[in-house]
Amino acid sequence: MNNAQLETLKKKYVARGAATATPQSADTALNAEIWDADGTRWIDFAGGIGVLNLGHRHPKIVAAVKAQLDKLMHTAAGVMSHPLYVELSQKLCELTPVRGPERKALLMNSGAEAVENAIKIARAATGRSGVITFDGAFHGRTMMTMALTGKVVPYKGDFGPMPGDVYRAPYPNEKHGISEEQSLNAIRTLFKTDIPASRTAAIILEPVQGEGGFYIASPSFLTALRELCDEHGILLIADEVQSGFARTGKLFAMEHSGVEADIMTMAKSLANGMPLSAVVGTAEVMDASGPGSLGGTYGGNALSCAAALAVIDVIREENILERSTQMGELLAARFAKWEERFAHVAHPRNQGSMAAFELVDADGKPDPAATAAVCAKAKELGLILLSCGFYSNTIRILVPLTVEPEVLEEGLAIIEQALESLA
Ligand code: PMP
């Protein structure tokens, strides 16, 4: 079937809410390139929204999954565990910078499931119910994670009422007029106006916001947040579903600050395309709820665990952290040139290769229409490019960290052409 036939069937049989950004359908893919059902080649700067930090079909990951297929596909970890579940849990506990000394892990399927469980665990561990989250946060599309998510359109508008005991503070964002002190004060105000600190179980944040616009929480903010949590016995949850697994030049973005959360959530590039997520936290916190209280049929599926173990090896063997840092430097240099050259381009930023810039109008205000136009033009020219942001005016780069230099260059040249077309 070609793209047009598939699109017709999609319109007829796939729910409208599950819309896709392109009318094409992917047929095959390798590293940072996709060939669609018509045989047309695309450069992929979306990487399955940050899932493919090691590229489409990395040979070592494919080989690990194929080998596992011949041994064991699935048990339901709640019925019988398997070696890879345990081995991966151990590795994640060793690698994840949450408070120790002992750490434990829980394996689930999706980012949203990891966040749901992080909240359950925090509530069980503290005996409190309140959760504080931030403007522009994205934590998922299930009921609780949707409540935590800080953007109505397109995520929340049709689905209320939201679960209760969720409170929101502004995410620090100097570019858009919110200082770190304002953000911290807003939390202190919540303790007076909405939820006492003594009833607050957790504060959850993305150390680099993903869907919210690649805004980076500074080490000083994270340190202050940690102190605030400690002052009141509140748990700090770092959602690294998008920022984790080498995107920022470290395995986890929290490592840039040295601040340790109590619980961390991860998914996406953890298994580089296989569905897998994890919650890793201080052992005492993770063990707060009783046997049988956490889990799910597919969480920690053997094929996904095999992929994740291969991901951890590849990150080390292929110097992926260094490559992420270097790519970040290259992107930052290119964005700086664009900022000089194009009046629309503003606020470039990056932590490693988690890199983005904004499009603004003549008054310096967010310009979502220009942003949509750049993504549309890029698509016309064969590049899959994603926007994001609280103001829908951010262009983000989530190209595989393994992209060939010439493919990366080709993609950046297309963005440049798309920016030229705005003038
Ligand atoms: N948290 C963050 C920070 C995310 O970026 C996402 C997905 N974009 C999620 C949670 C939800 O992950 P999933 O779509 O796998 O449920």
Side-chain angles (χ1 to χ4, degrees):
M1 269 193 283
N2 63 25
N3 282 328
Q5 290 163 326
L6 286 163
E7 183 63 7
T8 304
L9 289 180
K10 190 167 67 177
K11 286 216 167 94
K12 188 164 160 55
Y13 292 113
V14 179
R16 193 167 68 105
T20 30
T22 44
Q24 292 81 14
S25 289
D27 181 57
T28 54
L30 190 62
N31 204 5
E33 294 165 283
I34 296 177
W35 288 266
D36 71 23
D38 291 351
T40 303
R41 168 187 177 256
W42 295 80
I43 295 174
D44 183 9
F45 269 26
I49 321 189
V51 168
L52 297 158
N53 285 353
L54 302 181
H56 290 274
R57 296 199 297 116
H58 188 290
K60 286 194 178 142
I61 297 163
V62 170
V65 174
K66 279 187 177 164
Q68 186 57 37
L69 259 176
D70 287 334
K71 291 185 73 177
L72 174 79
M73 280 175 76
H74 180 71
T75 55
V79 176
M80 182 182 261
S81 189
H82 57 84
L84 301 191
Y85 192 113
V86 181
E87 204 184 314
L88 180 61
S89 297
Q90 180 182 355
K91 283 237 162 92
L92 292 177
C93 288
E94 287 163 3
L95 292 168
T96 305
V98 287
R99 274 191 172 163
E102 305 296 330
R103 300 168 183 142
K104 286 196 172 187
L106 167 73
L107 303 182
M108 302 301 298
N109 303 290
S110 66
E113 260 192 320
V115 173
E116 288 277 349
N117 280 281
I119 302 299
K120 282 171 65 176
I121 291 164
R123 284 182 168 171
T126 57
R128 308 171 178 184
S129 55
V131 183
I132 296 176
T133 178
F134 290 90
D135 290 344
F138 185 90
H139 295 294
R141 294 170 182 272
T142 55
M143 288 309 289
M144 185 63 181
T145 61
M146 183 170 54
L148 295 169
T149 289
K151 193 175 177 196
V152 168
V153 179
Y155 309 120
K156 302 172 75 162
D158 296 328
F159 302 118
M162 298 291 141
D165 245 5
V166 171
Y167 307 90
R168 194 172 305 283
Y171 194 87
N173 187 337
E174 304 282 352
K175 291 171 184 34
H176 293 288
I178 296 160
S179 69
E180 292 177 10
E181 203 42 43
Q182 277 173 306
S183 179
L184 291 165
N185 277 337
I187 298 173
R188 292 186 192 106
T189 303
L190 283 177
F191 293 154
K192 285 191 186 157
T193 57
D194 289 293
I195 173 98
S198 60
R199 293 287 320 142
T200 304
I203 298 179
I204 180 166
L205 103 160
E206 297 156 88
V208 183
Q209 283 197 328
E211 304 308 308
F214 282 28
Y215 296 114
I216 303 162
S218 71
S220 62
F221 181 73
L222 292 171
T223 303
L225 205 56
R226 179 73 267 184
E227 284 168 8
L228 190 70
C229 285
D230 287 342
E231 189 186 332
H232 297 289
I234 296 167
L235 298 178
L236 181 61
I237 303 174
D239 181 355
E240 294 238 26
V241 165
Q242 192 155 159
S243 57
F245 280 82
R247 179 52 57 182
T248 70
K250 307 254 188 212
L251 196 59
F252 297 104
M254 288 299 280
E255 293 172 54
H256 290 280
S257 68
V259 172
E260 290 178 335
D262 300 284
I263 300 174
M264 191 182 281
T265 52
M266 61 196 76
K268 293 197 185 268
S269 283
L270 162 62
N272 209 60
M274 295 295 287
L276 185 69
S277 65
V279 186
V280 182
T282 312
E284 202 186 333
V285 169
M286 296 294 291
D287 278 345
S289 68
S293 61
L294 305 173
T297 305
Y298 295 108
N301 168 270
L303 299 177
S304 297
C305 288
L309 285 163
V311 163
I312 292 168
D313 287 344
V314 171
I315 288 176
R316 194 186 57 247
E317 288 162 10
E318 299 187 13
N319 298 319
I320 297 296
L321 300 180
E322 222 167 79
R323 285 162 74 176
S324 174
T325 305
Q326 283 163 2
M327 188 197 288
E329 285 161 7
L330 182 149
L331 293 173
R334 187 64 63 93
F335 293 176
K337 278 195 189 144
W338 291 346
E339 191 180 18
E340 259 175 43
R341 187 170 156 212
F342 300 107
H344 283 288
V345 174
H347 309 317
R349 53 190 173 271
N350 72 296
Q351 191 171 71
S353 63
M354 194 156 181
F357 61 89
E358 296 188 26
L359 290 169
V360 296
D361 63 18
D363 301 323
K365 298 249 165 58
D367 193 340
T371 311
V374 167
C375 290
K377 186 71 188 173
K379 238 170 249 168
E380 246 178 76
L381 299 169
L383 173 71
I384 300 172
L385 185 65
L386 291 179
S387 65
C388 65
F390 190 62
Y391 304 97
S392 306
N393 74 323
T394 298
I395 304 271
R396 61 175 152 170
I397 313 289
L398 285 170
V399 66
L401 304 171
T402 47
V403 61
E404 299 83 356
E406 57 280 10
V407 175
L408 177 65
E409 193 44 53
E410 214 183 324
L412 292 173
I414 290 176
I415 300 180
E416 216 159 274
Q417 246 179 297
L419 290 169
E420 277 162 11
S421 75
L422 277 183

